[in-house]
Each structure stands twice: as C-alpha cells, then as structure tokens.
Amino acid sequence: MTLTDHVPTSPDPDGLFDAFTAWAADQGLTLYPAQQEALIEIVSGSNVILNTPTGSGKSLVATGAHFTALALGQRSFYTAPIKALVSEKFFALCAIFGAENVGMMTGDASVNESAPIICCTAEILANIALRDGADADVGQVIMDEFHFYADPDRGWAWQVPLLELPRTQFVLMSATLGDVSFFEKDLTRRTGRSTAVVKSADRPVPLMFRYVTTPLHETIEELLSTHGAPIYAVHFTQAAALERAQALMSINVCTRAEKDAIAELIGNFRFTAGFGKTLSRLVRHGIGVHHAGMLPKYRRLVELLAQAGLLKVICGTDTLGVGINVPIRTVVFTALSKYDGVRTRHLKAREFHQIAGRAGRAGYDTVGNVVVQAPEHVVENERALAKAGDDPKKRRKVVRKKPPEGFVSWGEPTYERLIAAEPEPLTSSFQVSHSMLLNVINRPGDAFEGMRHLLTDNHEDRKSQLRLIRRAIAIYRALLAAGVVERLDEPDEEGRRVRITVDLQFDFALNQPLSPFALAAIELLDKESPSYALDVLSVIEATLDDPKQVLSAQQFKARGEAVAAMKAEGIEYDQRMDLLESVTHPKPLAELLEAAYTTYRRGHPWVADYQLAPKSVVRDMYERAMTFVEYVGFYGLARSEGLVLRYLADAYKALRQTVPEDAKTEELNDVIEWLGELVRQVDSSLLDEWERLRNPGEETAAAPIDERPPAVTSNIRAFRVLVRNALFHRVKLAAQRRYDELGELDAESGWDAEQWEQALESYFDVHDEIGTGPDARGPGLLIIDPQPERWTVRQIFDDPAGDHDWGISAEVDLPASDEAGTAVIRITDVNQL
C-alpha cells in the first residue's frame, strides 16, 4: 500500500492528521513536537514557515503537506534549488505515493506533468506563476532550501510564486532562515491565510562545539581514537580537500576487516586513470573525498561507503551543505573564511550553521561534534609557546609566525560569534527579464496591471523598484519595436490590451534558452562542407553555459604554446606580453555566430537575457581525437573532471533535443553517437536517468553502484568512431613527429618511441608531411575487418602525393575494450603496402 491509500473519505483536519500520523507510525516514525505543530497548521489550511535544524525531519512534514493537498484534490508542488535534489525527491515520492501520482519538471525532462504532485526546480514554478498568475493550478507549494531566496542570481525564482499565487498554501523550509517576521506578515497579507512560524533550536541529536589549536592531523587522529568518526573535514578549495586526504594516508584509520568490507562493497567498480586511481587508493584506506568537481559516480561511491559506516574520514568542500546525504558524526572546519568568487571573507552565520548542522545522525548518535581548527600560524605559535613553557624569558624570545599575505584574520572570537549568531535575514534578489514580461503579456488579463503588481509590490526597496521599472519599460519597448508584441485598440476576449505576435512554447526560457537561435544559425551552415558536422556542434556549444575551468585551462595551454612560438621567432618580451592579450580559448565560428546573434536579437529581443558564448570543448576533444581521460590529462583537469563530464552530457542532450532530423548528416550522427557513448562509459548515471525520464514507462530505480554501463562494443556506430579517433590520434602525433607520446601510448604492444621513429622516418624520407584535415580522418581512409573477438584495422595516411599506400595496422581487442569502456588498440605495423 502507498500513502495514497490512507487518504480518509472525509478529509477534515483531524482526520487528515490522524491518517498521516498513523501511516508514519506504521513506518516506525514518531513525530517530533515541531513536526506535529507544522502538520497541524498545514491540515488546518495555514501557511507554514518551518525553521528547524538539519536532521529534524522537514522531509516528513513535506510528505504530510503533499498528503493533505492530495486529499483535498489540490495540486502540490515541491521545489528545490538543484535538479539532482528534484530528481531524488521525485523517486522518493513515487515510492511513497505511487508513480502515477507524482510528476517532475526540470527543463531537462518532464514526466507525468499532469500528476497531482509535481517535483520541479524553483524556476519552473516561477514561470508557471508568471504564465498563469492567480489562476495557476497550484494549490500548495513546498519550497525546500528556502534560503536560496537570497541567491543573487536565482533568488527571483523563489520570490515570484510568493507574489503571483495568492490562492496557494505555502510551506517554506530551511534550517537557516534567520528572522522570518517579514515573510510571516507578507504571506498572510497576500494569501489571506494565517501564517505559522514553526521554529525550534532543538535537534534530535544536539551539537557540541569545540575550538582547537592542535594541528589538523592530530585533531583527526584524536577524533578517530575517541569514536568521533565518521568525520567530515570541510575545506574551502577542492585542492586542499584532496591534499588533506592524501596526507591522512599515513594514519591507519581502518581495521583489516573494515578494509576487506570496503573492497567487497567496491566490487568491480570502474576507476578511470588520473583522479580515479587516487580515489581508489584513498577509499580502500577508509578515507573519502567529496566535492562538486568529482564525477557523479565517484561521489555516489563515497556516499555509499559512508552510509555503510566504512569511511572514517571524508575530506570535502562546503557542497556538503546542499542536501548531500552523507551521514557523519563530526564536522571539522579547517577554516572560517572562504573565497566566494569575488573576495575572501568570513563565513556567514547561515553558511556556518548549514554545514555544522550535518553533524550527528538521528538513530545513531547521541551527540554531534563540531570542531573548528585555529589558523595554521596560530597553531604553530601555540606549539612554540608551549615548548617555551612558563619561563617568561623563553616566551618573550619566541618568534611568532605571521599569517600569510592576504589572510582574512579569524580566531576564537570569530568562532564564538558564529556559534551565537542567528542566520542573517534573507534579502530580496528580484530581477526583471524579457521572459518575465512575455509570460505576463501572454496570460489573460491586463498585462500592464500584472507588471505593475510585480514591479511595485515585490520585496525590493523603492530605489531598486524604480530601477526595475526602468528596465521593464526598456524591455517592453524593445519587444514592441521588434514586432514581437503589439498593442490592441480594444481589449481582446480575454482582456488583453497587448498580445504576443509569435508562438512561444511554455519552456522557451528554460533548459537552453538559446536553442531557437541555434536552429536559425544551423540553417546558415553549408551542409556540403566537410566541416558541417563539427560546425553544427560549435553552434550548439555556443548556447551552453561556459565550463570556466576548462576554458581557463585551454587559454593557459594556448598562451603557453604562443609564448614558445614567439620565443622561437625572437619576439621581444614586451611585444610578447601585448600579443598574449589576444590569445584566448578556441572560439570556432565566433564571427558568424556573433553576427547571426545580433540579427536574430532584433526580432527576438528576449535572447538578450542570455549571452552567446562561442567555445570548443566537445569539438576540441573530437578534433584532437582524445578519450575523456586523455583530454582531462592534456589540460590538467583532474580536479574538475565532473564539470567536464557534465558539460559533455549537456552538449549531448542539446544535440539530441535541438538539431532537427533533416539537419543531421551521417557524420553528425556519428559525432552524436560517439559523444553519448563517451559520456555513458565514463559515468552512465548522467544519461541513464535522463533516458529513464524521457521514457517513464521503463524501470526508474537507480542502478547499483557497481553496475557498469552497457558494453562499449554493443553500440557499433559509436565504437567505430572510438576506433577511428584512437587511430587518428596516433596519425596526428605522427604528423607532428611526437615519438615520445606515441611510445607512451603503445609501448605495451612493442611500439616504443624508438620503434615509432624508425618506422615513420622511412615515410618522411618519401613525403614531407602527413595530412590531418577532414579527408584524413574520414571513413574512406579507415579499413575495418570485424571479427568476433577482435577487429583488424588499417588507418591509411593522407600523403601529399595521394598514393595512400602508407598507414598504421592494428588490432582492436573487443573484450578488453568492453572492460576499459573505450577502444583498446594494439599496433601491429606501420608500413608501406
């Protein structure tokens, strides 16, 4: 039976509360006082602001709210800040209410959109509220992690539903809301419902705070010896987290039996080269790493091992504070300051409490520990003073170490202030955009009144409101001038005085807002051009968000190569520095795309909300004929490989969803298949869930952690491209006479650098160069003889004479390729036939 089966025939408040608490009791759950209070208010029809600590059962209150709305025949919406949490909640609610009663909308994919319970991102709900206003079919809204209301870039999406849905019951939840008296009064005024603030500082597992001046290594050893594990050591850079984890390898944190249990749970999990091998060593020792730059499968592995109680220490960043399910007993702050992208500053009280709240597990721990490390220079000074003892003369002679340059000073007073401080009040971050105006104009009624309400009755101060009004007027005039909207002499049958003259799909501003521009830009390309497939890819890449770490690494590499070339040409230092300013990451089709964007924007002004960003990441990887591991290694992106893979997955989805069938060629289909298989073999979770959501009738349960993706050789089309790329990678290295790198690739098959050089010098005695253009990598110069266990292949060189009699002969080991998740090549000869 699901919770849906417990809906009472007479859904009065008492009946609803009794039915839900009876179901909870059947699950072995006893409601805390704050949960009971919140649920009584919800079934009574009040808005609720739930401000209780992490681990106090806010999810159960949300479930009770959905149950209440379902019983009353209302649609309820659950919103969260990130798609991963929305997806996690979707599957959890499917298990509780039955899949037929739960839907999801994230922009990436939609499932069961007409269901009575919807999980979505805050932006999806905001756009529904803008599109339909007070008439939206939204009976109840549960906003999780409501402190994102203050996010400078996304806070508008948490505010819009509060402004536009006066008939809706709201449940706002967070562990770190601060003073909510403003929201209490505002919600009551707008909805006409009473608003209950349910606040409790009581945690099921109380926290104990400590400030220590021992070195971090000693602190962790002491916690391990006093049953403080599992420990989460919070760092504020990914590099520091990994460095600390590796330093802790000198401590024997696990018993032999625990290490055996870790090995058994890991099973046949595939660790790739680079960071994967490092993580394998760490987790087998009982130490985890957890940060946003990791592959999702690695983070899930660390979480699974932690949930099993097998990891004693996890070193990570403060991403832990965003709903990550890692059970821990002790949180160790390695610092109380962080770089926020603009400057280094002290932690805010909200950030401190959000992270500290992860300590202590209900049902496992009687207390949660929060330990704050003193700064390193303070620790060293304390040790020096301790060594001097009580002798005043010796203590005066101690040379105190100074903090490093640029250090933001903090110490025990900072620690005490953060413990005592309430989270800062949430501040409004309202914004106006083209999509906001278009949504309001497109709904029935007077758009001018609708926008006046949004612009003058939001949560901004008057000065900011006037700025937003001026922005809205400028946007409206641009839409009018472009002919996207037109004024009517008389209101139409639905009361509109302004109407939109173009067709807009509901999600035109979601997922990839520049996708319609991409369609128009693709039409400008020459389908007969040998670079057409990669040019289409460049159009799509220009509409994706920038993976900043990748672009920075590309620019660094390009500038290094440029400096070397300029030195070789004898260019003076000052001139080199001037010339370097123009060297950036690769931007294929930049001039064409910028010109097209300018033209397109005249007729579609709303695209001005989104910046076109020409770049080459997928194309760069394809043209370099590199595997994922090779590409990450080439640019030194081991700490950001999760970011790289998410970008590749986004590019694959955008190609699949955006490029029309009649614009696809055989080569473009090859690229799409190659990209999908590459992502799937590195970490199948990024695409498997997406495919499940696109095909909701299929099994929705998450795959086990050790389950591998389908055999790479089963996708023949993609595998052919992988083979072609592996061989063409060698062709490019051969063309550049980079024998050392060829030797690194093929030493195991007997082709070291000397063997490669010897074979290729015979070629270069006859020809000046090896071609590496589109024709050189085309299928016409690759011969494949497929056999059940191995393929015999011949990659022909594109020589200047066009003889095509030189090339690379190789074998492709199919079983080894399935094991590795990529084409495993063994060179057999490099010769002239």
Side-chain angles (χ1 to χ4, degrees), residues 40 144 254 335 342 347 442 459 493 582 618 644 729 746 751 815:
I40 288 170
D144 205 356
C254 285
V342 178
L347 294 183
N442 205 34
H459 298 162
E493 62 276 9
S582 61
V618 182
V644 178
H729 184 36
D746 298 309
W751 282 79

Side-chain angles (χ1 to χ4, degrees), residues 527 532 655-656 659-666 668-669 672:
K527 205 169 181 178
Y532 172 78
L655 283 166
R656 286 274 306 272
V659 181
E661 286 301 317
D662 60 5
K664 293 178 181 176
T665 61
E666 285 299 303
L668 181 54
N669 281 323
I672 294 172

Side-chain angles (χ1 to χ4, degrees), residues 56-74:
S56 59
K58 287 184 285 293
S59 292
L60 187 61
V61 173
T63 303
H66 287 303
F67 175 74
T68 300
L70 192 66
L72 297 174
Q74 299 174 343

